[in-house]
C-alpha cells in the first residue's frame, strides 16, 4: 500500500480502537479527522501531547473534527492510558503497523546508542472529503495541538 500524499485522498482503512470501536475512515466522511501518531502510552511527551489535544477538544468538536491517537500499544494499555488522562477521543491500536506504514511514520531512531525502528511523532489532518490537507512529521509537543487546531480553522 503506498503512503499518503498531501492533496490526495487517504485510502480507506479499518482499525481497532478503545471503547470496543472499529474506526473506518469512510465512516468519518463529512467531518475533519486528525490522526496523531505517538511512540508509547504513558511516556512524558506522549502524555503531554494527548493532554493538549484533550484540552482543545471542545474547539475541535465545534469545527466538526474527530481526533484519534495511534501507537503500537495494545488496546488494554490504550484503555488505561485513555482513562487515566480522561482523553475524550479514541486511541487506535496499530500492533501490525498497517496505519504506521500507510502514513509512513516508522523511522530508524536511536536511544542510548542503540538503533531501533519506532514511531516518528507525526500528525495528519484529513478534510471532510477524505483528502490529506496537512502533515506534521518529527513533531515537537509544545504548542503542537494548537497549531493543528489553527490548521483546521483554515480549512
Amino acid at each position: 500500500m503506498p503512503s499518503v500524499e498531501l492533496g490526495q485522498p487517504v485510502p480507506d482503512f479499518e482499525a481497532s480502537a478503545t471503547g470496543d470501536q472499529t474506526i473506518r475512515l469512510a465512516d468519518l466522511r463529512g467531518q475533519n479527522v486528525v490522526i496523531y501518531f505517538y511512540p508509547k502510552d504513558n511516556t512524558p511527551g506522549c502524555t503531554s501531547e494527548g493532554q493538549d489535544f484533550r484540552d482543545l477538544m471542545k474547539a475541535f468538536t465545534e469545527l466538526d473534527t474527530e481526533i484519534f491517537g495511534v501507537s503500537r500499544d495494545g488496546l488494554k494499555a490504550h484503555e488505561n492510558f485513555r482513562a487515566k488522562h480522561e482523553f475524550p477521543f479514541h486511541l487506535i491500536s496499530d500492533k501490525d503497523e498497517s496505519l504506521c506504514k500507510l502514513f509512513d511514520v516508522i523511522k530508524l531512531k536511536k536511544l542510548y546508542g542503540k538503533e531501533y525502528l519506532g514511531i516518528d511523532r507525526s500528525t495528519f489532518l484529513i478534510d471532510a472529503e477524505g483528502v490529506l490537507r496537512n502533515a506534521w512529521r518529527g513533531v515537537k509537543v509544545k504548542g503542537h495541538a494548537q497549531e493543528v487546531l489553527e490548521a483546521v480553522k483554515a480549512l
Side-chain angles (χ1 to χ4, degrees), residues 7-76:
Q8 296 298 314
V10 175
D12 193 26
F13 61 79
E14 192 172 287
S16 298
T18 51
D20 210 19
Q21 302 267 327
T22 298
I23 306 301
R24 288 178 196 83
L25 186 59
D27 295 345
L28 299 166
R29 283 285 155 85
Q31 50 193 328
N32 304 310
V33 178
V34 170
I35 300 177
Y36 77 93
F37 289 84
Y38 63 95
K40 189 142 184 60
D41 289 347
N42 288 306
T43 54
C46 301
T47 299
S48 295
E49 186 175 24
Q51 290 169 336
D52 290 349
F53 278 114
R54 174 197 68 201
D55 295 346
L56 292 171
M57 190 69 195
K58 186 175 184 293
F60 279 106
T61 302
E62 286 169 359
L63 294 167
D64 208 14
T65 303
E66 286 276 350
I67 296 175
F68 298 99
V70 182
S71 80
R72 298 183 295 188
D73 293 295
L75 285 173
K76 189 168 175 43

Side-chain angles (χ1 to χ4, degrees), residues 10-149:
V10 175
D12 193 26
F13 61 79
E14 192 172 287
S16 298
T18 51
D20 210 19
Q21 302 267 327
T22 298
I23 306 301
R24 288 178 196 83
L25 186 59
D27 295 345
L28 299 166
R29 283 285 155 85
Q31 50 193 328
N32 304 310
V33 178
V34 170
I35 300 177
Y36 77 93
F37 289 84
Y38 63 95
K40 189 142 184 60
D41 289 347
N42 288 306
T43 54
C46 301
T47 299
S48 295
E49 186 175 24
Q51 290 169 336
D52 290 349
F53 278 114
R54 174 197 68 201
D55 295 346
L56 292 171
M57 190 69 195
K58 186 175 184 293
F60 279 106
T61 302
E62 286 169 359
L63 294 167
D64 208 14
T65 303
E66 286 276 350
I67 296 175
F68 298 99
V70 182
S71 80
R72 298 183 295 188
D73 293 295
L75 285 173
K76 189 168 175 43
H78 273 353
E79 292 288 2
N80 294 338
F81 186 45
R82 184 173 178 238
K84 182 176 176 184
H85 298 287
E86 299 175 359
F87 295 153
F89 48 84
H90 287 287
L91 301 177
I92 293 173
S93 174
D94 194 33
K95 278 183 169 297
D96 69 357
E97 298 182 356
S98 58
L99 274 185
C100 290
K101 289 181 177 121
L102 174 63
F103 286 89
D104 190 29
V105 297
I106 301 290
K107 300 290 180 223
L108 192 61
K109 299 173 106 178
K110 269 193 174 144
L111 186 66
Y112 306 120
K114 282 193 164 55
E115 289 190 336
Y116 67 99
L117 288 173
I119 292 180
D120 182 39
R121 192 182 305 279
S122 307
T123 302
F124 300 89
L125 173 57
I126 302 165
D127 72 11
E129 274 78 57
V131 174
L132 183 64
R133 291 296 172 198
N134 290 73
W136 294 265
R137 295 179 184 275
V139 165
K140 300 286 178 253
V141 172
K142 191 164 173 48
H144 177 63
Q146 184 65 47
E147 188 182 337
V148 174
L149 181 61

